[in-house]
Each structure stands twice: as structure tokens, then as C-alpha cells.
């Protein structure tokens, strides 16, 4: 039940934010909005306020804002209504209306990060020499070091910061090192011989080789209270960081550095949302912010049926000073539909395969 509720909250709220971005910019530039729908397919409930019909639809995997004059194939427009037509607006206004959805997702992510940091504080790593994990079959594991051991000294020299530990091992050129550690109430010593090992980045790419013993520091943090201004900048930094990671993740999948099986769809999002809600409101909001960044970036991809594809059309129109022909755009839209459909099927397949694994 928690998984279902959290999934509805995450997906429903993020779709609403996305479509509201389109809606708000359309209204700002005087475009008539005929329908605001959360979901696709048959209408489950709805009401009409002014010229806009607000609808909750059956398939909750998206939404749309239907604007008057949005379809260029609709030629029969009353001259009196031209001012409220999407197609009649300057290309820069149409560009901003379409970009409003993804941009609002990014702004919403920044707002969520701001809420987390302003209330909870900024997480700051604790300067500690406690071991968080020991890799299997590593020199440290073979010597007898355990997670939770606190490193006091290396070969008789006191260690106060983890960076000192890393530097000493790196500069030791593989010579045996005597680890003096505190375990419970005992002080123990272990002789560990570092080995030359690859160092990988977050995409599991080897970036260098250096002497390692196979331990990682304990992930201990404190939450430092910060000003509202600093919370705003920290939120922006988080959004930029996740934009970069999302883009690089896509690039690494294309380069086959990250296996395509890592792609996830709605089922994976639902599972993760449920787990994050159970872990607490901070985890849940952080997860929602990350998904909001993902949604914003993915919608900006230059695939014709997505917002990014329309932005490409508008950019070409601005350069050529004339719109692409309806036939050309329809062909691109069909290709985009096939690409997006194939991607969704593949993501569902991964979700189901992951479930059985």
C-alpha cells in the first residue's frame, strides 16, 4: 500500500508540475488552453472552469495541455480567435511555452532541495577514521580488519583524518603498513600490504591505478544549519549536479559503459518511492527531487514527440525564418513515437526482469 501511495504522490505531483509549466506560460502569452489533463486515455473525472476543461484521465503515465491552434493541420481558425492561437504566436513565445514543462520540473527539484536544506540542514561529512566497509578478498580483509574498526595510527604515526590515511598508503609504494585500530575496548595491530588496484568512477570506468588496501570510510554526517540564502544556492548546486549525472548516465548507456539493463520504468520508480517513504520524509523528498530532474532532462532530449523535439523544430524555424512543412514534422513525430514506444517497452521489460531476478 505504501508503494502505491508513494508512487501516486511522486508521479502525480511531478506530472502536474510539468503540465502546469506549459499551462502557465501559455496563459502568460495569451494562448487559449482548451484542456489540462493529468493522465491519458478515457476521462475519469473533470470540470470546466472558464475556457479550460480540467481532467483526470485513466492512464497515469503522463499528461498534456491542449492549446487552441496547437495542431498546425487545423487551418479553419476564425480571424477573431487568431490572437489566442498557439500557432499564431511568435516562435520565441512558442519555444518558451514548450520549454516551460521541463524547466518547471527543474525549478521544482530546486525547491524540494531548498526545503530539505532549510529545515534539515546541509549534510557535512564527519572527519573520521572509522572503517565503513572492507572489500572481500582485499589485503585488509585478509589481514583481519573489520567494518567499524577505528584507525588510530599507521606504522606508529597517529592518523586523525581519512585523507591522511589515503595519502600515506598511496605514497608507501606498496610497502607493508601496520594498522593500529580500536575495536570495541581493545587496541589491535594488523600488518597490511597494499596492492596496485584500479580506481573506478561512479559509472564503473577505470580512471587510474594506485595502491589500495580495500577499505572505505564510514559514511557519517552531521547536519549543519544554514541560512535561507545558502539553502537556495545549495539547492541549485544539487539540481546542477543531478542534471550532469543524468546526462552522463545517458551518454554512458549509449557508449555501453553502463548496461542498458540499468534503465528503469514506472515499476522501478514505484518500488524505490515506497522504500524512500518508509525511510522518512527527507529521503522521500530527495528522491522526488531527483526524479523531477530526470523528468526535466529526459523531456529535453531532441526526440520529436518530446518537448525537446518541438524545441528543435522551433529553433530550425527561427533560423530558416519559416516553419517546417506539416508533412516533414509528421514524419519526425512518427519516428519519435516509435522510438519512445520502444524505449517504454524496454524499460517495462527491465522492470519485470529485475523483479524476477
Amino acid at each position: 500500500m505504501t508503494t502505491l501511495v508513494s508512487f501516486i504522490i511522486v508521479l502525480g505531483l511531478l506530472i502536474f508540475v510539468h503540465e502546469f509549466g506549459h499551462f502557465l506560460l501559455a496563459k502568460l502569452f495569451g494562448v487559449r488552453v482548451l484542456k489540462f489533463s493529468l493522465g491519458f486515455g478515457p476521462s475519469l473525472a473533470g470540470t470546466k472552469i472558464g475556457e479550460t476543461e480540467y481532467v483526470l484521465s485513466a492512464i497515469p503515465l503522463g499528461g498534456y495541455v491542449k492549446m487552441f491552434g496547437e495542431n498546425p493541420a487545423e487551418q479553419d481558425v476564425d480571424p477573431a480567435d487568431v490572437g489566442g492561437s498557439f500557432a499564431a504566436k511568435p516562435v520565441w513565445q512558442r519555444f518558451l511555452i514548450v520549454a516551460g514543462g521541463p524547466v518547471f520540473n527543474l525549478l521544482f527539484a530546486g525547491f524540494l532541495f531548498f526545503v530539505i536544506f532549510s529545515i534539515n540542514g546541509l549534510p557535512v561529512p564527519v572527519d573520521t577514521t572509522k572503517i565503513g566497509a572492507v572489500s572481500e578478498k582485499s589485503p585488509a580483509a585478509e589481514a583481519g580488519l573489520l567494518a567499524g574498526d577505528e584507525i588510530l595510527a599507521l606504522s606508529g604515526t597517529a592518523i586523525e583524518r581519512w585523507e591522511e590515511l589515503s595519502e600515506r598508503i598511496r605514497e608507501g609504494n606498496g610497502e607493508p603498513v601496520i594498522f593500529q585500530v580500536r575495536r570495541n575496548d581493545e587496541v589491535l595491530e594488523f600488518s597490511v600490504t597494499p596492492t596496485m588496484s584500479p580506481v573506478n568512477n561512479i559509472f564503473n570506468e577505470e580512471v587510474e591505478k594506485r595502491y589500495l588496501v580495500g577499505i572505505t570510510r564510514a559514511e557519517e554526517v552531521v547536519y549543519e544549519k544554514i541560512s535561507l540564502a545558502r539553502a537556495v544556492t545549495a539547492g541549485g548546486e544539487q539540481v546542477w549536479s543531478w542534471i550532469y549525472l543524468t546526462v552522463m548516465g545517458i551518454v554512458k548507456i549509449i557508449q555501453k559503459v553502463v548496461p542498458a539493463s540499468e534503465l528503469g520504468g514506472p515499476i522501478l520508480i514505484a518500488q524505490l518511492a515506497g522504500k524512500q517513504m518508509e525511510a522518512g520524509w527527507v529521503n522521500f523528498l530527495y528522491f522526488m527531487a531527483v526524479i523531477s530532474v530526470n523528468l526535466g532532462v529526459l523531456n529535453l532530449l531532441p526526440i520529436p514527440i518530446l518537448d525537446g523535439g518541438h524545441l528543435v523544430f522551433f529553433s530550425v524555424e527561427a533560423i530558416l525564418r519559416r516553419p517546417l512543412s506539416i508533412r516533414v514534422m509528421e514524419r519526425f513525430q512518427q519516428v519519435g513515437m516509435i522510438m519512445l514506444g520502444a524505449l517504454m517497452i524496454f524499460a517495462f521489460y527491465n522492470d519485470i526482469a529485475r523483479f524476477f531476478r
Side-chain angles (χ1 to χ4, degrees):
M1 188 63 181
T2 302
T3 297
L4 179 60
V5 171
S6 56
F7 176 70
I8 292 173
I9 292 174
V10 170
L11 207 60
L13 191 52
L14 296 187
I15 291 171
F16 172 80
V17 167
H18 183 93
E19 300 307 331
F20 184 70
H22 294 311
F23 175 85
L24 188 62
L25 269 294
K27 288 290 189 180
L28 180 65
F29 293 123
V31 176
R32 288 175 53 197
V33 178
L34 305 179
K35 181 181 286 189
F36 185 113
S37 176
L38 289 181
F40 299 112
S43 173
L44 299 178
T47 185
K48 189 168 185 178
I49 303 175
E51 63 185 9
T52 307
E53 183 183 8
Y54 299 89
V55 176
L56 183 64
S57 300
I59 305 174
L61 298 179
Y64 63 92
V65 170
K66 183 179 180 181
M67 292 172 282
F68 176 69
E70 185 176 9
N71 186 352
E74 296 174 356
Q75 302 294 339
D76 298 329
V77 178
D78 190 318
D81 293 330
V82 169
S85 171
F86 176 81
K89 297 300 178 182
V91 66
W92 68 269
Q93 292 186 2
R94 284 178 279 143
F95 187 99
L96 291 179
I97 291 170
V98 171
V103 169
F104 263 55
N105 278 127
L106 300 178
L107 292 175
F108 183 63
F111 170 73
L112 292 178
F113 286 131
F114 163 76
V115 170
I116 293 170
F117 295 146
S118 61
I119 296 176
N120 206 50
L122 196 65
V124 179
V126 174
D127 200 2
T128 177
T129 58
K130 185 181 292 186
I131 298 174
V134 179
S135 302
E136 293 183 7
K137 299 181 181 179
S138 65
E142 292 175 358
L145 289 171
L146 300 175
D149 288 348
E150 182 184 357
I151 301 170
L152 304 176
L154 289 183
S155 300
T157 303
I159 296 294
E160 297 180 353
R161 298 183 299 109
W162 190 268
E163 288 72 19
E164 295 178 54
L165 166 70
S166 301
E167 186 178 343
R168 288 285 303 281
I169 293 174
R170 186 167 54 249
E171 295 175 351
N173 295 321
E175 294 294 323
V177 180
I178 304 299
F179 277 71
Q180 186 181 74
V181 303
R182 179 182 288 116
R183 180 180 298 169
N184 298 326
D185 294 327
E186 293 184 273
V187 175
L188 307 173
E189 290 188 351
F190 301 90
S191 177
V192 184
T193 303
T195 58
M196 185 67 76
S197 304
V199 178
N200 296 348
N201 61 17
I202 61 170
F203 298 109
N204 207 32
E205 294 176 291
E206 183 178 322
V207 292
E208 64 173 315
K209 285 188 176 182
R210 64 171 181 248
Y211 285 105
L212 301 172
V213 297
I215 58 176
T216 56
R217 69 184 298 171
E219 295 294 333
E220 297 182 4
V221 298
V222 294
Y223 289 90
E224 176 186 296
K225 291 297 181 181
I226 57 176
S227 66
L228 293 181
R230 178 68 184 104
V232 170
T233 58
E237 290 164 3
Q238 282 292 300
V239 170
W240 176 250
S241 174
W242 281 104
I243 289 174
Y244 174 79
L245 287 175
T246 303
V247 172
M248 288 305 299
I250 295 170
V251 171
K252 296 305 178 184
I253 289 175
I254 294 173
Q255 293 176 340
K256 297 184 179 180
V257 173
V258 176
S261 58
E262 293 297 313
L263 279 174
I267 297 174
L268 179 62
I269 293 175
Q271 292 172 333
L272 294 175
K275 290 180 181 178
Q276 299 306 317
M277 179 172 277
E278 290 174 355
W281 71 270
V282 172
N283 296 60
F284 183 67
L285 290 185
Y286 198 96
F287 172 76
M288 189 186 300
V290 171
I291 297 298
S292 192
V293 172
N294 283 196
L295 186 60
V297 171
L298 293 177
N299 267 281
L300 288 172
L301 292 178
I303 298 175
I305 199 171
L306 297 178
D307 293 334
H310 290 289
L311 296 180
V312 171
F313 291 155
F314 296 145
S315 299
V316 172
E317 179 181 343
I319 294 170
L320 299 180
R321 298 183 180 238
R322 60 178 175 80
L324 293 172
S325 70
I326 295 174
R327 185 176 179 181
V328 169
M329 287 194 288
E330 285 179 345
R331 290 289 176 86
F332 276 115
Q333 294 269 10
Q334 290 167 358
V335 172
M337 183 75 76
I338 294 172
M339 291 174 61
L340 190 60
L343 187 62
M344 290 184 66
I345 291 171
F346 184 66
F348 269 110
Y349 168 79
N350 280 346
D351 284 354
I352 295 170
R354 191 181 292 111
F355 176 78
F356 283 106
R357 286 198 301 268

